[in-house]
Amino acid sequence: MDKGNQTTVIEFIFVGFSDVVQLQYFLFVIFLCIFKVSLLAHMFIIILYRCSPNLHTPMYFFLANFSILEICYLSTIVPKMLIDLLLQQKTISYYGCAIQMYCFLVLGSTECYMLATMAYDRYNAICHPLLYNNIMSRVVCIRLVIGSWLIGTTVAILQTTFVFLLPFCGSNRINHFYCDIPPLMNLACSNTRFNEIATFIIASFLIVGSFLLTIISYANIIWTIVKNHPASNRKKAFSTCTSHLIVVTMFYGSGTIMYLRPKSRYGMDDGKFLSLMYTIIAPMLNPFIYSLRNNDVKCAVRKIVYEIKLAH
């Protein structure tokens, strides 16, 4: 659609990653494998939580909820992206794009504060072990999860409304693989200054705010470990904290670069690859970093396997 025609956009076309067919097939295989591994790992955590009474603690309650969130998050973007990698015409309707953006923003925004909530839970477990059960009661855990979803829903409603109130009357080619805020703002045929300011303020509250809460929690955890734990126990604790912080930094760091830089400095191609970090890579790593390395999870798996053997 040529800008001179001033035709109202009724659908969008994703540019995707490459016009080279062989490369698209290669990317399809890679992303499909990542998607399957991520789904299986998260489903495994949910099933394990449901089947293992010894995992019915605040920590695993949050991890099970986080896995449900991640499955929905992956399913919002990856299936459509995989289909588009096999097609020449990668289209999405105007309203389909709005729905995809809304779902992505709800789930992505909720994930930011779920990560902060999980860090807060670990802070109380390590820094206030005697008060932990009182501080992280069942009611408090449920409220923290609901609060994260309320924040995510509010952010999604505001941002999706702001973006789709813009007129799209020129090009309909989105230089991305899903409907995201910066590439869509680049297609608007009106001034987007208000949207840029709104995105910066909301993203600052969402990403920077939750990241600071997460970092403060881990800083207190590390300080408590250094101060109170013997040297023999520090290595494992530091290893766990470091792996958590690497994934957290990857998620928040790529999101910060994507949403907090000015529109004039937004690079289309690097934006796509930054998005991969928090839409595909981080969700795949999370179950292995947060859950599957834990001794409690390994014990629960061994117990279930033992019970299955006895049953047969």
Side-chain angles (χ1 to χ4, degrees):
M1 296 182 186
D2 189 78
K3 278 194 174 183
N5 294 334
Q6 294 295 298
T7 306
T8 302
V9 170
I10 59 171
E11 70 174 13
F12 295 100
I13 299 172
F14 294 122
V15 172
F17 293 101
S18 173
D19 293 327
V20 181
V21 174
Q22 289 79 6
L23 180 58
Q24 292 194 120
Y25 291 154
F26 173 74
L27 291 174
F28 173 83
V29 172
I30 296 297
F31 293 147
L32 179 62
C33 291
I34 292 174
F35 183 54
K36 284 183 174 181
V37 169
S38 300
L39 286 186
L40 288 172
H42 286 296
M43 287 180 358
F44 177 76
I45 291 167
I46 295 166
I47 293 168
L48 197 63
Y49 173 76
R50 293 288 298 172
C51 298
S52 305
N54 63 306
L55 296 184
H56 290 179
T57 62
M59 175 182 173
Y60 293 102
F61 170 78
F62 289 128
L63 287 172
N65 277 277
F66 188 67
S67 287
I68 294 170
L69 175 67
E70 290 278 57
I71 289 171
C72 297
Y73 184 62
L74 285 163
S75 301
T76 298
I77 294 169
V78 180
K80 171 64 176 166
M81 181 189 70
L82 291 173
I83 292 169
D84 286 345
L85 284 169
L86 299 178
L87 301 175
Q88 292 301 311
Q89 194 76 348
K90 307 169 177 62
T91 60
I92 187 169
S93 69
Y94 179 88
Y95 292 108
C97 188
I99 291 168
Q100 187 187 54
M101 178 183 283
Y102 172 77
C103 293
F104 161 71
L105 289 174
V106 167
L107 297 163
S109 303
T110 302
E111 182 168 338
C112 286
Y113 275 91
M114 279 292 287
L115 285 169
T117 296
M118 288 157 61
Y120 175 69
D121 170 68
R122 292 299 82 209
Y123 158 75
N124 283 307
I126 294 170
C127 301
H128 305 291
L130 298 178
L131 299 173
Y132 177 67
N133 289 329
N134 290 328
I135 296 172
M136 301 304 293
S137 65
R138 183 76 175 175
V139 173
V140 170
C141 292
I142 292 170
R143 285 176 179 172
L144 286 169
V145 170
I146 292 173
S148 299
W149 278 97
L150 286 175
I151 291 170
T153 304
T154 303
V155 167
I157 290 171
L158 290 174
Q159 286 287 60
T160 306
T161 302
F162 291 156
V163 170
F164 282 89
L165 283 175
L166 291 169
F168 299 101
C169 50
S171 172
N172 66 338
R173 291 178 63 82
I174 301 175
N175 192 0
H176 215 312
F177 59 94
Y178 68 96
C179 292
D180 202 1
I181 298 167
L184 273 168
M185 283 200 299
N186 279 337
L187 298 183
C189 51
S190 67
N191 191 301
T192 59
R193 184 64 179 166
F194 170 79
N195 295 74
E196 291 175 55
I197 294 170
T199 299
F200 182 85
I201 292 170
I202 293 171
S204 297
F205 161 75
L206 182 70
I207 301 173
V208 178
S210 56
F211 181 62
L212 284 175
L213 290 173
T214 304
I215 290 297
I216 290 169
S217 295
Y218 278 111
N220 279 286
I221 289 169
I222 291 169
W223 173 245
T224 301
I225 292 168
V226 170
K227 189 171 62 172
N228 298 330
H229 288 242
S232 57
N233 294 339
R234 288 178 193 170
K235 186 177 179 181
K236 184 180 177 182
F238 280 135
S239 173
T240 302
C241 287
T242 302
S243 59
H244 287 192
L245 286 171
I246 288 171
V247 176
V248 164
T249 303
M250 182 193 303
F251 179 81
Y252 286 118
S254 54
T256 299
I257 297 169
M258 188 72 177
Y259 296 107
L260 294 182
R261 58 180 167 174
K263 181 183 175 182
S264 59
R265 304 180 78 179
Y266 175 70
M268 294 298 187
D269 292 326
D270 63 352
K272 283 186 279 191
F273 291 102
L274 274 172
S275 298
L276 285 175
M277 300 299 289
Y278 55 82
T279 57
I280 296 177
I281 305 300
M284 180 190 68
L285 295 176
N286 283 333
F288 298 98
I289 297 298
Y290 282 100
S291 304
L292 300 180
R293 296 168 65 215
N294 294 355
N295 288 328
D296 291 340
V297 171
K298 293 174 183 177
C299 289
V301 171
R302 283 194 290 266
K303 185 176 179 181
I304 289 173
V305 170
Y306 178 72
E307 289 174 354
I308 291 172
K309 286 181 178 178
L310 285 180
H312 285 80

